[in-house]
Every structure is written in structure tokens, then in C-alpha cells.
């Protein structure tokens, strides 16, 4: 594998992250362009929470359950707006989802569901994507939920009894400020998480955080490097939700250089960085957790 990049060599944390990757993984990286996975909102554009970072914005780009385009998809992301308890109400739609599940893999993004709901969806759940938050104030002030980190821990542990669960940690979720991300990593490591996806806060029009800036690039790379070191033998990926444009062009190559195992919709510089480092590139066309 290629040597450590000069910019990474100059930063002890970043250098250590690259060394950890070399010690624990083959020289291979996976890039995804998930055109074969379609995202479905079971609630349409409706969401009771209207979170400060989203306000239902991303639901508008998802398919409805009756969209004929779903028939051509190889896999589906089942998601939707939440109720006041932070749960996506999937049970009323389970019949339609079950029909769509035939011959397809399903990634479920369903929030803080209870055990009865998990048991009902278990036959159709290839994987659960679970947003994990490490700060009580962020849960209250961003999601508007009367929940705690303990509730997220309990739900994560329950889900893992029945399905493969991939925790997602949003860097800068609290309006671009880092609050609780390191605690989230610490907790997930103590719980034995065996996969991790990192995403990055996007200032989104029409939300309470629209005027905020994304987290500072060096802070994001530091956290990615810390995740690599904290989870030395666990696949860590950079997911699809992160700012685009010049921000992504700068972030993605650095994410490769500090040792991530995969990136969704990588910037061109990330591909060049992987080639320069001697990593064998694999391309996929579905959700990174699939």
C-alpha cells in the first residue's frame, strides 16, 4: 500500500488513523453510487417532529409506497417522518412493504421503534440504520424529543437482538457544532458496535438551522480519524448525507487518507487519493450498509 500522505503525516492523530487502517484492513476501499436503492417515505412529506436540521425537507425527495418506479429497484430504504415519540409509523404500511420486499433487500430507518414493531418488521429487515446521538440537549433541541441518550442505548440494544443494526452518527448535528459525537463513539464502542457510518450536518433551506455553517473541516476529519482509531477493526464509512460542492471536494480525499473503508458518492479527489495510496477500488450501486 502507498505511504502516508504528507498532510496526514504532519498530524499525529491523522497519521495514527492511517496506520491503524494499514494494520487491520486489506488495501481495499468501496465507493458507492446508490442508484439501485430507492428511498421510500411511508408518511409522504408528513412528520410530527419537524426537526431543526431537516423540517421534513428530505422526505420530499423520497418515493411513495405506490410509486411504480419501486418495481425496478434492487433494494429499498424504508423511512418516513416520525411521530411525537421519534418513531416512523411503519406498521400500518407493513402489507405494502411486504409485497415490495419480495426479491429485494430492505434497509429500514425507523427511529425509536418499540420491540413489538421490531418483531413485526423482522422478516423483512435485512439491516436497520439507526441514528445514534450522544447528547441529551441535542436530542431535545434538535429533534424536539423528551428522550435521553439512555433511550437511544436501550433501543439500539433491543434492535440488535433481532437484526443487523448499523449506527449512524451525524457530525455537527447541533447546528454545525460538535456536541456529543465523541460520547456517541465511546458508547457505541462499549456496546460492541461492529459497523459505523458517519455523516455530516448539512445547512438546509427552510429549517431552523438554515443559516448555520457546516462543521469545520478539520473538526470533521479529526472525528473521522478518532473513529478509525477507536474502532480499529470495524468498517467505518462516510455516508451520503454530507455537504456537497467544495466542502465535499476537500473532505472526501482526507477521509480516504485517514483510513475510512468506504464513501458514498465520493468526490473525484477521493478516487485519486485512493489510487495514489495503492487502495484497490470496488464500486457498488446500493446503500452502503447493504
Amino acid at each position: 500500500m502507498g505511504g502516508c500522505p504528507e498532510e496526514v503525516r504532519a498530524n499525529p492523530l491523522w497519521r495514527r488513523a492511517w496506520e491503524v487502517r494499514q494494520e487491520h484492513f486489506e488495501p481495499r476501499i468501496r465507493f458507492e453510487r446508490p442508484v439501485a436503492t430507492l428511498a421510500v417515505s411511508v408518511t409522504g412529506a408528513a412528520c410530527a417532529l419537524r426537526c431543526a436540521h431537516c423540517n421534513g425537507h428530505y422526505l420530499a425527495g423520497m418515493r411513495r409506497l405506490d410509486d411504480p418506479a419501486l418495481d425496478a429497484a434492487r433494494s429499498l430504504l424504508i423511512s418516513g417522518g416520525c411521530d411525537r415519540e421519534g418513531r416512523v409509523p411503519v406498521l400500518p404500511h407493513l402489507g405494502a412493504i411486504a409485497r415490495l420486499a419480495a426479491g429485494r433487500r430492505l434497509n429500514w430507518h425507523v427511529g425509536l421503534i418499540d420491540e413489538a414493531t421490531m418483531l413485526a418488521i423482522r422478516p423483512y429487515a435485512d439491516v436497520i440504520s439507526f441514528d445514534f446521538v450522544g447528547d441529551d440537549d441535542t436530542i431535545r433541541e434538535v429533534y424536539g424529543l423528551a428522550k435521553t441518550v439512555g433511550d437511544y442505548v436501550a433501543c439500539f440494544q433491543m434492535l440488535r437482538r433481532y437484526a443487523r443494526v448499523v449506527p449512524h452518527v451525524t457530525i455537527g448535528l447541533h447546528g454545525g457544532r460538535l456536541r456529543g459525537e465523541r460520547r456517541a463513539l465511546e458508547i457505541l464502542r462499549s456496546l460492541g458496535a461492529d459497523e459505523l457510518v458517519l455523516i455530516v450536518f448539512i445547512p438546509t433551506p427552510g429549517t431552523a438551522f438554515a443559516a448555520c455553517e457546516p462543521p469545520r473541516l478539520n473538526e470533521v476529519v479529526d472525528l473521522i480519524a478518532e473513529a478509525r482509531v477507536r474502532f480499529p477493526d470495524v468498517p467505518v464509512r462516510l455516508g451520503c448525507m454530507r455537504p456537497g460542492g467544495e466542502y465535499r471536494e476537500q473532505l472526501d480525499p482526507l477521509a480516504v487518507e485517514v483510513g475510512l473503508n468506504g464513501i458514498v458518492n465520493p468526490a473525484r479527489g477521493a478516487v485519486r487519493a485512493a489510487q495514489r495510496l495503492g487502495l484497490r477500488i470496488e464500486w457498488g450501486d446500493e446503500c452502503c450498509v447493504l
Side-chain angles (χ1 to χ4, degrees):
M1 194 187 299
C4 188
E6 183 175 349
E7 187 171 5
V8 172
R9 280 202 305 270
N11 183 307
L13 171 62
W14 296 6
R15 182 175 65 249
R16 180 57 189 149
W18 174 251
E19 292 169 351
V20 166
R21 191 212 206 282
Q22 289 183 301
E23 292 164 5
H24 291 274
F25 292 96
E26 295 180 6
R28 181 176 69 244
I29 192 166
R30 187 169 181 87
F31 293 139
E32 300 283 350
R33 298 200 185 282
V35 294
T37 303
L38 291 183
V40 180
S41 172
V42 299
T43 64
C47 178
L49 291 184
R50 315 303 293 188
C51 300
H53 69 304
C54 173
N55 195 30
H57 175 89
Y58 296 99
L59 297 175
M62 295 183 182
R63 308 279 181 166
R64 307 295 180 100
L65 277 168
D66 58 357
D67 191 325
L70 300 182
D71 295 334
R74 196 156 69 247
S75 54
L76 300 174
L77 167 63
I78 305 298
S79 187
C82 289
D83 64 16
R84 291 302 310 169
E85 295 298 313
R87 305 167 298 199
V88 177
V90 292
L91 290 186
H93 312 281
L94 195 54
I97 296 170
R99 289 190 291 274
L100 287 168
R104 296 182 180 88
R105 294 189 297 168
L106 269 54
N107 172 19
W108 295 70
H109 179 255
V110 287
L112 298 169
I113 57 172
D114 57 23
E115 190 166 16
T117 301
M118 181 64 240
L119 287 169
I121 71 173
R122 183 183 186 184
Y124 315 105
D126 293 280
V127 61
I128 306 284
S129 289
F130 185 73
D131 292 327
F132 195 90
V133 186
D135 177 65
D136 290 345
D137 290 341
T138 298
I139 295 168
R140 183 178 63 254
E141 296 170 17
V142 177
Y143 292 147
L145 287 172
K147 303 287 185 181
T148 67
V149 173
D151 293 311
Y152 279 77
V153 170
C155 187
F156 178 69
Q157 291 177 305
M158 179 275 291
L159 295 172
R160 293 183 83 199
R161 291 201 293 270
Y162 302 107
R164 175 179 159 235
V165 182
V166 181
H168 289 50
V169 174
T170 303
I171 304 172
L173 177 61
H174 205 126
R177 294 172 292 164
L178 272 65
R179 289 182 61 172
E181 288 86 345
R182 288 180 172 86
R183 184 183 178 204
L185 296 180
E186 179 183 347
I187 293 170
L188 288 168
R189 185 60 179 169
S190 71
L191 295 174
D194 48 18
E195 295 180 72
L196 178 66
V197 173
L198 300 173
I199 54 181
V200 183
F201 164 72
I202 304 171
T204 301
T207 69
F209 290 159
C212 294
E213 295 292 330
R216 288 181 293 184
L217 190 68
N218 275 15
E219 289 185 323
V220 174
V221 181
D222 279 351
L223 196 82
I224 292 172
E226 288 177 34
R228 173 73 291 156
V229 173
R230 192 180 290 274
F231 295 83
D233 53 357
V234 169
V236 182
R237 309 180 191 94
L238 189 58
C240 54
M241 297 297 291
R242 62 190 190 281
E246 181 60 26
Y247 190 97
R248 184 172 300 201
E249 289 290 340
Q250 294 183 52
L251 172 62
D252 288 10
L254 290 170
V256 173
E257 293 170 0
V258 297
L260 286 197
N261 300 94
I263 300 181
V264 182
N265 292 325
R268 288 170 293 183
V271 178
R272 292 194 294 268
Q275 292 169 335
R276 184 174 66 252
L277 292 167
L279 298 174
R280 184 170 72 255
I281 297 173
E282 298 176 352
W283 287 95
D285 59 3
E286 295 185 82
C287 268
C288 67
V289 300
L290 291 170

